[in-house]
Amino acid sequence: MDLIIVESPTKGRTIEKFLGKNYKVLSSFGHVRDLPKSRLGVNVEKDFEPEYIVPIKAKKIIAGLKKDSQNAENTILATDEDREGEAIAWHLAEALKLKNPKRIVFHEITEEAIQEALKNPRQIDVNLVDAQQARRILDRIVGYKLSPFLWKKVARGLSAGRVQSVAVRLV
């Protein structure tokens, strides 16, 4: 049996209807690793290396997916095709310690699209993963330092999180 991991449980149930008994479709419920909330989580002294943790809400999901992936012939990562989806696939591969995961993408949830994607698996696109990590690290470095300043000077609860557009303009 092959295991397919998608981001959304609803998407997973729909896809499972198209496939036979040789497939099990499970959901990661989105991101399974992130930077810690309580500290910067980026080692600026070591090439801006991110420090990823598995959030409490994802620990049970990871444990279940790990068990199922160990029992599967192949683990197929079917997260979205954008950089966030690619990063989720990479984080899943890392967290589940997958040796050679297959990566599939599709643009519509139809039986034909799913079957075509399964015929054409690929590797995780590390360039997309790197792009997502760069955006996330930049958001964290600027946002983590700037948000407390905004709380003092403007209003409590404001976030300086999404900064990549401004940073690109500055560069």
Side-chain angles (χ1 to χ4, degrees):
M1 175 195 58
D2 287 347
L3 173 64
I4 298 176
I5 303 174
V6 296
E7 290 177 56
S8 147
T10 304
K11 187 185 289 186
R13 286 189 292 274
T14 303
I15 292 170
E16 201 163 42
K17 291 176 187 174
F18 300 140
L19 302 173
K21 294 178 181 170
N22 292 332
Y23 293 94
K24 182 174 188 175
V25 183
L26 296 175
S27 171
S28 71
F29 294 84
H31 286 277
V32 295
R33 296 193 321 169
D34 198 5
L35 299 172
K37 291 186 188 295
S38 60
R39 59 188 180 281
L40 185 60
V42 176
N43 189 340
V44 295
E45 303 295 323
K46 192 176 176 188
D47 293 329
F48 296 91
E49 183 179 315
E51 173 199 338
Y52 291 113
I53 61 161
V54 177
I56 293 168
K57 67 177 186 168
K59 286 185 187 286
K60 188 175 178 181
I61 294 163
I62 287 293
L65 291 173
K66 188 177 269 191
K67 182 181 166 196
D68 283 310
S69 69
Q70 289 170 343
N71 294 326
E73 273 185 54
N74 297 296
T75 300
I76 302 164
L77 304 173
T79 54
D80 295 346
E81 192 175 18
D82 59 5
R83 66 181 179 207
E84 288 292 322
E86 206 71 21
I88 291 170
W90 179 77
H91 282 292
L92 281 164
E94 294 287 312
L96 301 176
K97 296 179 179 19
L98 300 176
K99 297 280 187 254
N100 190 23
K102 294 180 180 179
R103 174 82 169 100
I104 63 169
V105 294
F106 41 86
H107 302 284
E108 57 186 31
I109 304 174
T110 63
E111 185 171 1
E112 186 177 310
I114 304 305
Q115 293 295 347
E116 187 62 29
L118 287 168
K119 290 177 192 171
N120 298 295
R122 63 172 175 81
Q123 299 296 311
I124 293 171
D125 185 338
V126 181
N127 290 328
L128 283 176
V129 174
D130 288 346
Q132 190 276 343
Q133 285 191 96
R135 182 205 59 79
R136 185 72 179 100
I137 290 167
L138 182 62
D139 282 352
R140 176 54 67 97
I141 290 171
V142 175
Y144 198 81
K145 304 281 188 185
L146 193 55
S147 292
F149 175 76
L150 289 174
W151 300 340
K152 287 180 188 172
K153 301 295 181 185
V154 183
R156 187 95 181 121
L158 289 178
S159 171
R162 295 286 181 148
V163 299
Q164 74 268 17
S165 298
V166 174
V168 168
R169 284 190 187 134
L170 289 172
V171 171

